[in-house]
Amino acid sequence: MKKPYLIITILLGLVIVLSITRAFLHNMLSTSGIFVSRAEQEINFYKTQNAILAEELLTESSLTNTIEKARESGFTDENTLMVIKTSRPLAVRP
């Protein structure tokens, strides 16, 4: 008569231990899921920031932007020739 009670007690103890283990594991997974979603949000944020910075870099290094900055600094794109009219030779022969 003691054998069935022993088996039932062991099975009930096993069920309780497995239930507690399951609850513990679910709790760990739920908190790690929050951390994973937070990390994914940060990754997406930094990816968009990198894309924006790459676009700004391409804009700043473009030839059009370089030409505009050169014009603002006083450079001109006129292709005029400068003619020097003198009566003396420019180079002196030794």
Side-chain angles (χ1 to χ4, degrees):
M1 290 255 311
K2 278 195 163 191
K3 218 172 197 182
Y5 291 120
L6 184 62
I7 292 174
I8 291 174
T9 307
I10 291 173
L11 288 176
L12 280 175
L14 186 63
V15 167
I16 291 171
V17 168
L18 289 176
S19 296
I20 291 172
T21 306
R22 180 178 176 207
F24 179 72
L25 290 175
H26 276 289
N27 188 26
M28 283 180 52
L29 289 175
S30 67
T31 56
S32 68
I34 292 170
F35 293 130
V36 168
S37 67
R38 232 184 251 155
E40 286 178 354
Q41 287 176 350
E42 287 184 21
I43 288 171
N44 289 335
F45 172 75
Y46 288 125
K47 281 184 179 179
T48 54
Q49 291 299 318
N50 281 339
I52 291 170
L53 288 174
E55 187 174 327
E56 287 178 7
L57 176 68
L58 290 175
T59 302
E60 289 296 320
S61 64
S62 70
L63 187 58
T64 307
N65 190 34
T66 307
I67 291 171
E68 287 176 10
K69 286 185 179 180
R71 284 184 184 154
E72 289 172 4
S73 297
F75 291 99
T76 60
D77 58 350
E78 296 176 11
N79 293 330
T80 59
L81 296 175
M82 180 186 245
V83 179
I84 299 175
K85 294 183 179 182
T86 63
S87 58
R88 291 193 244 158
L90 293 176
V92 177
R93 291 188 180 181

